[in-house]
Amino acid sequence: VPGGAPGAFFGDAVSIFGDTALVGAPAANAAAAVRGAAFVFERSGGLWSLTATLTVGSGAPPGGYIGASVSLADGVALASGSGFDIPGGRAFVFERSTGGTWGPNETAELVPSPGSPTFHFGSSVAASGDLALVGDRHDDPGSFGSGAVYVFERIGPATWTAHETAKLVVNAGQEVIEFGFSVDIEGHLAVVGGFETHGGFGAAYAFRRGATG
């Protein structure tokens, strides 16, 4: 475990892109106002080494456990955790500079629009290009269509939309719980996992971004 932190839950979430790997440890930095971290490892010459430790800066609200869910894309790392604004959650964006250096603190904080019924925002994250997905598997609890996935976009260098540009939900009448338990995105195609109530079976739902956005 980097830094010799026992009980940090190192490896609770992982992601890889090319020769770079991201490992979440949501219980690291137990004494910090915002607990948790994500560790960046890079492969060079066949050997892996720790090159960065991503943590949340002092400007973030206290609480939470960053690194419970992580995702890595080309030059972009996402790390999320629950515990903020209970009930609620946060997702943070870290970016690699043109010089190849990561972090160490976030360049953006992703939160849903005010009034959104979020209860576990950040339960899953995924990144691809200029798009980021953040799942909330308990969004609108008690509904047969509970759960949602929020879409965020990068609109310039290190600049992300303040709130989501789209919210993905199941079609009306579908009995699904914990929609957004898992997410992934590649290009303009997103896949979202959820549990159906009929017989306890699960399902995966595909979404494709249209030509107009």
Side-chain angles (χ1 to χ4, degrees):
V1 177
F9 294 153
F10 179 82
D12 200 53
V14 295
S15 183
I16 193 167
F17 185 90
D19 289 325
T20 304
L22 185 66
V23 182
N29 302 321
V34 179
R35 293 169 291 279
F39 298 91
V40 179
F41 296 84
E42 297 187 70
R43 182 174 59 179
S44 178
L47 298 176
W48 289 90
S49 59
L50 175 66
T51 57
T53 300
L54 309 181
T55 57
V56 175
S58 59
Y65 298 87
I66 297 303
S69 182
V70 299
S71 182
L72 187 65
D74 188 11
V76 174
L78 298 182
S80 69
S82 61
F84 298 96
D85 301 331
I86 298 173
R90 288 288 192 276
F92 297 90
V93 179
F94 301 84
E95 298 186 69
R96 182 169 52 194
S97 70
T98 54
T101 302
W102 286 93
N105 298 136
E106 75 279 6
T107 57
E109 178 182 336
L110 306 182
V111 295
S113 297
S116 297
T118 57
F119 280 77
H120 203 157
F121 182 82
S123 53
S124 58
V125 294
S128 178
D130 292 325
L131 296 175
L133 302 183
V134 182
D136 183 342
R137 69 177 193 255
H138 290 152
D139 184 282
D140 194 17
S143 167
F144 281 126
S146 65
V149 174
Y150 295 78
V151 182
F152 298 83
E153 297 185 54
R154 182 168 53 184
I155 55 179
T159 303
W160 292 78
T161 51
H163 303 295
E164 76 277 2
T165 57
K167 182 178 179 179
L168 309 181
V169 296
V170 296
N171 292 327
Q174 287 186 274
E175 296 186 0
V176 180
I177 60 174
E178 300 200 22
F179 175 83
F181 188 90
S182 58
V183 298
D184 203 1
I185 184 171
E186 178 63 33
H188 290 174
L189 181 64
V191 179
V192 180
F195 300 119
E196 294 187 3
T197 59
H198 294 297
F201 294 105
Y205 304 83
F207 298 81
R208 182 180 292 277
R209 187 181 188 184
T212 57

